[in-house]
Amino acid sequence: MKRDILGMIRRGLRKPPHVIAARLAAELAAESERLVAPKLARSFGTRALLRALGKNSIDQLWHDLGDRPFPLPQSVSWSAVVPEDERREILSRADKAVGRRVALLGSGDVELGRPIDWHTDFKTGHRWPPAFHRSIEYNNPERPSDVKVPWELSRLQWLMPAGQAYLLTGEERYAEAVRSVLEEWIEANPYALSVNWACTMEAALRILVWTWFFHVFKDSRAWDDEEFRGRFLASLYLHGRFTERHLEKSDVNGNHYTADAAGLVFAGLFFGQGRGPHRWLDLGWRILCDELPKQVTADGVDYEASVPYHRLVAELFLLPAHYRMLAGHDVTPAYRKRVVAMGRFTAAYTREAGTVPLLGDADDARALPLGTQPINDHRYLVGLIGEIFSDDSLRGRAGGPMGEVRWLLGPQAAERLETYPAATRGSEAFAEGGVYVMANPRDHVFVDCGPIGLAGRGGHGHNDCLSFEAVLDGVHLVSDAGAYLYTASYEERNRFRATASHNTPQIDGEEINRFIRPDYLWNLHYDAVPDVRLWQPGETSDKLVAGHAGYQRLAHPVRPVRSYELEHANHTLTIEDSFEEDVAATHLVEVPLLLAPGVEAEVAGAGKVLLRAAGRNFHVTWYDPQEWTLSLEEGRVSPSYGVVVPAVRLLWRRQGRLCPFRMTLAPAG
């Protein structure tokens, strides 16, 4: 990666001495691999692997590993328990995978060919040449390219349906196809010497997938070859070694460090014996236990301020714990309680239709995807956590397709959740995480009143304090913009995380949290410190009042304060913005409202907009139409990474002294 050396030094010197010392030691250790990596890539094969694990033969090792527990239910007649619609979808995806056709990160269908080019962003054609991973420049602001494409391709999660198809049908062609792809990957990506080693998280996530492949295909004829078995296991072992030596640790950590730790736990439990695996298991689990209370609030919200990353991080904390329990290791009550809290937050933000608010960043990342549900359906996660930790409150809130539960925990767990009495949806506050959900069986209003993310660093959080999404009377009306892209376009990255892309007031065209530099894609100044003043849920209505300090830095400071009220019986949401501090000064105030894709809008008179969606009509009314001007603009929503769809954006403006603004959304008639 191309490095801003002076910038790194300046930022590093602001950190505590022990952090600086640890970082220097880690840098020296990582750099020492420049000499070691080429030798390991050439020489670490079957003999070295057997010595490391204390085994006499690959055949003995293979069978010993196959007898170890793993999160894949055994003795299951999959063809008898998988519903027909799920079976058809799995087989369809498996045939595409076997045919080397993928659709990743908004690419549309792509033919990979033979052999696969693992080092190219096939969306733009940019290719990263083979080199030591620390020498590779993978952020390229001067040209369009997205390193996430080869990384996502190399995770091989797109190939997992072929494994499920093998379990459903027993057809060897699936085992042959997966073996062929793995052989190509190993050949093209020597240890630490390609772009697919440039991020430790990528190696760690491959550990999860490769160990799953092993337990799926361990008895297949196509994998009954000593040379292939040796190469596969040696490469997998080196993934564990690499992850341990290149941990993505800082003074404040996020999902990358968590993924590294999850990969170490999987590698340690998978191999089971030898000093390396024992060390990986202990280190990975210590990291997870240490990071869980740091990264996840007591009320269960991942502090990276992103709903999609909350899902990923929950999986990364959950799956290693489940694997440990299967292997006979303990998981403390405190760890269980915190992950269960993550499940409760997931249940609260997930809507009845199986969609979620697009809060913060999203790159479609998963830990071990096994279901066929849409990417933004998180309901399975509630059931997984409830079943693994035997929590009845979560079992009653699970829903949607049960493929994830069935493939990870077995058909009985899926049946139990499908027949469990459903809990009634209600309003919930996650005060420590800064999220408030006003809800009933027909309405769902999700409000972000939390900190910027990653302990005030920015991370995967956006400039969205006081922003909201809304479903009223079962119809999704108001949406966040999502994230769209990362390094593929710095301009789009910054546009989608900017204040103007969120449903929150903007003053004088300024960001609520200042950008540091256009190329600081995951950092922001923490200006918009939230101030929640009232949370009053009730039988007839819910009320929330909150403000933030994002505009205290202006020459004439302003504090936006927003009140929300949801009336349950008539599905009416009223939002009122007031502005405190220097009320006599002149400001430009803009209040946006981004409608969900598919919602149509037209002005229906002074102070009224008619919305049409799902065959229904709704009204947006506002006060005072004499003081505020309204424009209907073209907006955009990114429902998943690399995908953007058009939407209508309403924008109210007022130049002058500050005055309140009130809008009401309600069913028409």
Side-chain angles (χ1 to χ4, degrees):
M1 180 177 64
K2 188 174 183 179
R3 297 169 184 264
D4 174 11
I5 301 297
L6 292 178
M8 289 176 62
I9 293 173
R10 285 193 295 267
R11 293 193 300 275
L13 291 176
R14 292 196 293 265
K15 298 183 184 297
H18 72 279
V19 173
I20 296 174
R23 183 60 183 268
L24 286 174
E27 285 288 313
L28 289 172
E31 279 298 308
S32 70
E33 288 259 283
R34 285 186 184 274
L35 300 176
V36 176
K39 180 179 178 181
L40 279 174
R42 292 191 305 269
S43 64
F44 192 90
T46 300
R47 291 182 180 178
L49 176 69
L50 293 175
R51 284 196 303 271
L53 298 176
K55 297 295 182 181
N56 295 320
S57 69
I58 283 295
D59 185 64
Q60 177 197 9
L61 174 61
W62 192 266
H63 288 94
D64 287 350
L65 295 176
D67 289 338
R68 295 184 59 78
F70 188 78
L72 176 65
Q74 300 299 310
S75 303
V76 175
S77 176
W78 292 105
S79 61
V81 300
V82 174
E84 183 57 32
D85 58 341
E86 182 182 344
R87 175 189 171 91
R88 285 196 301 269
E89 180 63 24
I90 288 172
L91 294 180
S92 174
R93 295 184 183 186
D95 286 343
K96 288 182 179 179
V98 169
R100 302 182 177 216
R101 298 190 303 277
V102 299
L104 302 176
L105 305 175
S107 69
D109 287 340
V110 174
E111 299 279 348
L112 296 176
R114 293 176 183 271
I116 294 171
D117 185 348
W118 299 101
H119 309 147
T120 295
D121 167 13
F122 52 63
K123 293 170 68 174
T124 66
H126 179 75
R127 191 173 195 276
W128 289 267
F132 182 65
H133 67 103
R134 290 173 63 84
S135 299
I136 295 175
E137 300 176 9
Y138 59 78
N139 289 333
N140 304 300
E142 72 281 0
R143 57 182 179 270
S145 65
D146 194 343
V147 74
K148 287 189 65 62
V149 174
W151 285 356
E152 189 74 20
L153 184 67
S154 289
R155 287 183 186 182
L156 295 183
Q157 293 176 351
W158 57 272
L159 199 54
M160 290 178 66
Q164 293 171 296
Y166 175 78
L167 294 174
L168 283 169
T169 67
E171 294 181 19
E172 283 289 322
R173 65 187 182 98
Y174 297 114
E176 293 167 357
V178 173
R179 170 180 168 169
S180 176
V181 170
L182 286 167
E183 287 178 319
E184 287 183 16
W185 193 94
I186 293 169
E187 180 67 26
N189 294 276
Y191 176 79
L193 298 177
S194 80
V195 72
N196 292 309
W197 297 94
C199 173
T200 307
M201 180 181 185
E202 300 306 314
L205 289 178
R206 285 196 294 272
I207 292 171
L208 275 61
V209 176
W210 286 31
T211 53
W212 185 83
F213 279 145
F214 171 87
H215 282 279
V216 169
F217 296 117
K218 58 185 172 65
D219 296 323
S220 69
R221 292 193 305 275
W223 287 44
D224 187 11
D225 175 84
E226 185 173 325
E227 182 179 354
F228 168 70
R229 288 177 171 183
R231 292 188 70 200
F232 171 78
L233 292 177
S235 182
L236 181 53
Y237 187 92
L238 287 177
H239 274 71
R241 183 190 191 280
F242 181 89
T243 302
E244 179 187 24
R245 282 159 174 75
H246 299 279
L247 290 170
E248 297 165 281
K249 182 180 181 180
S250 186
D251 57 325
V252 176
N253 299 299
N255 66 88
H256 280 243
Y257 192 47
T258 310
D260 299 347
L264 286 176
V265 171
F266 263 68
L269 288 171
F270 175 80
F271 285 109
Q273 297 180 348
R275 285 181 296 178
H278 286 160
R279 193 172 60 248
W280 302 338
L281 173 58
D282 291 344
L283 175 59
W285 187 243
R286 284 201 310 271
I287 291 171
L288 291 176
C289 291
D290 185 53
E291 288 295 320
L292 179 56
K294 294 178 180 177
Q295 296 187 27
V296 179
T297 61
D299 50 9
V301 182
D302 173 46
Y303 81 157
E304 292 191 83
S306 157
V307 161
Y309 277 91
H310 173 90
R311 184 258 298 272
L312 172 64
V313 170
E315 293 180 347
L316 293 173
F317 282 118
L318 176 67
L319 294 182
H322 174 50
Y323 196 176
R324 275 181 63 87
M325 293 162 63
L326 289 176
H329 298 278
D330 69 304
V331 174
T332 66
Y335 193 103
R336 294 168 182 250
K337 182 178 180 181
R338 192 66 60 114
V339 178
V340 166
M342 297 188 82
R344 294 196 178 112
F345 179 54
T346 306
Y349 71 63
T350 301
R351 298 184 283 243
E352 291 291 333
T355 60
V356 299
L358 302 177
L359 175 75
D361 279 347
D363 69 350
D364 301 349
R366 294 286 313 280
L368 199 63
L370 293 163
T372 58
Q373 73 282 346
I375 189 64
N376 288 329
D377 189 344
H378 297 191
R379 291 176 292 179
Y380 70 89
L381 182 58
V382 180
L384 280 178
I385 297 174
E387 278 296 302
I388 288 173
F389 293 133
S390 301
D391 187 278
D392 288 341
S393 67
L394 292 184
R395 285 171 170 150
R397 302 181 70 175
M402 288 295 165
E404 300 274 354
V405 176
R406 185 179 298 108
W407 286 97
L408 191 66
L409 305 182
Q412 291 182 339
E415 292 171 6
R416 186 160 47 247
L417 290 174
E418 287 171 338
T419 58
Y420 205 89
T424 302
R425 181 179 291 275
S427 302
E428 296 181 76
F430 300 86
E432 191 173 342
V435 174
Y436 295 80
V437 179
M438 302 174 170
N440 57 56
R442 296 291 297 169
D443 304 317
H444 188 278
V445 180
F446 177 98
V447 184
D448 174 22
C449 299
I452 186 57
L454 204 67
R457 305 290 179 89
H460 290 295
H462 289 186
N463 276 347
D464 51 15
C465 191
L466 306 186
S467 187
F468 71 100
E469 286 207 19
V471 170
L472 296 179
D473 202 14
V475 179
H476 188 194
L477 294 177
V478 181
S479 177
D480 192 273
Y484 189 29
L485 295 170
Y486 291 170
T487 61
S489 170
Y490 285 33
E491 181 181 1
E492 292 283 36
R493 164 69 176 156
N494 289 326
R495 180 179 292 117
F496 271 79
R497 65 182 182 138
T499 305
S501 292
H502 301 91
N503 300 310
T504 189
Q506 187 168 23
I507 309 295
D508 296 336
E510 295 286 336
E511 296 291 340
I512 63 173
N513 298 289
R514 290 164 296 159
F515 283 31
I516 297 174
R517 276 187 1 200
D519 60 334
Y520 277 35
L521 302 184
W522 285 275
N523 297 99
L524 294 164
H525 289 288
Y526 185 21
D527 300 314
V529 178
D531 171 25
V532 178
R533 303 180 178 186
L534 174 70
W535 167 246
Q536 186 178 351
E539 291 186 6
T540 59
S541 69
D542 298 334
K543 297 179 181 178
L544 171 66
V545 180
H548 69 69
Y551 295 120
Q552 292 294 289
R553 69 181 190 273
L554 300 183
H556 298 283
V558 178
R559 183 181 295 272
V561 178
R562 172 167 276 191
S563 65
Y564 314 74
E565 182 174 9
L566 174 66
E567 298 175 59
H568 297 298
N570 56 14
H571 315 293
T572 297
L573 175 65
T574 299
I575 293 177
E576 183 166 355
D577 291 315
S578 59
F579 305 94
E580 299 177 346
E581 308 291 341
D582 191 352
V583 296
T586 297
H587 293 279
L588 170 65
V589 181
E590 296 173 295
V591 181
L593 189 69
L594 181 62
L595 303 180
V599 179
E600 300 176 350
E602 65 175 84
V603 177
K608 181 180 288 189
V609 172
L610 174 66
L611 306 182
R612 297 189 183 90
R616 302 277 305 283
N617 290 338
F618 294 80
H619 283 149
V620 181
T621 57
W622 72 91
Y623 181 84
D624 176 350
Q626 302 303 316
E627 296 285 345
W628 296 83
T629 61
L630 169 68
S631 60
L632 273 62
E633 304 179 351
E634 293 182 0
R636 296 186 298 165
V637 171
S638 176
S640 62
Y641 189 92
V643 176
V644 66
V645 295
V648 177
R649 181 175 183 257
L650 310 182
L651 183 65
W652 289 270
R653 289 187 179 91
R654 187 180 186 279
Q655 177 78 48
R657 293 186 175 183
L658 298 170
C659 73
F661 172 80
R662 184 175 71 241
M663 63 176 160
T664 299
L665 292 84

